[in-house]
Amino acid sequence: MPITTEFMLHFAGEWIAAWNAHDLECILSHYTDDFEMSSPLIVQLMDEPSGTLKGKTAIRGYWSKALARLPDLHFDLEEVLVGASSVVILYRGPRGSSAEVFWFDAENKVCRAAAHYPG
């Protein structure tokens, strides 16, 4: 099923709110248990050269470290873009304008995500 505008806006609003509340369990509730996350920050924070982690346990550790390092973390939603089975959230955070791409499974849970930051 294609992603609807209503779904993408709802997802983006919940995702931003969960991060701004620093509510790790709420953030993780949007993802499958075995989802894959790619980010250049994974290389730095987790010493993982591939920049990719898989599964909620591994990613919980990564995001816990990130939240601890940025106690004032706040995202401002800039734009939401929809694809056939993906959503891109453009937001302003501590690194400036950034983007995350989310791919969804049949139950509308994120099964893969990738973060992008200014160079």
Side-chain angles (χ1 to χ4, degrees):
M1 298 271 310
I3 293 174
T4 66
T5 300
E6 180 182 21
F7 170 79
M8 77 168 188
L9 292 174
H10 179 76
F11 172 80
E14 282 191 354
W15 187 85
I16 291 283
W19 276 103
N20 286 345
H22 296 207
D23 186 341
L24 188 53
E25 294 312 310
C26 186
I27 296 165
L28 287 166
S29 73
H30 296 98
Y31 298 82
T32 62
D33 288 340
D34 62 346
F35 82 101
E36 183 177 286
M37 178 72 203
S38 297
S39 169
L41 295 180
I42 289 172
V43 176
Q44 295 171 357
L45 290 178
M46 303 304 285
D47 198 28
E48 172 53 56
S50 70
T52 300
L53 296 172
K54 188 168 176 90
K56 280 188 179 179
T57 301
I59 297 162
R60 179 182 279 112
Y62 160 56
W63 284 343
S64 291
K65 273 188 176 182
L67 286 169
R69 289 181 69 166
L70 295 167
D72 297 327
L73 178 75
H74 182 83
F75 295 156
D76 291 310
L77 183 62
E78 292 183 339
E79 182 105 36
V80 186
L81 308 171
V82 65
S85 63
S86 62
V87 168
V88 177
I89 296 177
L90 303 172
Y91 62 94
R92 181 163 293 282
R95 297 177 167 269
S97 288
S98 302
E100 299 225 11
V101 183
F102 305 89
W103 289 268
F104 294 85
D105 69 3
E107 281 89 45
N108 284 334
K109 291 280 191 180
V110 177
C111 56
R112 192 171 109 213
H116 301 77
Y117 305 109

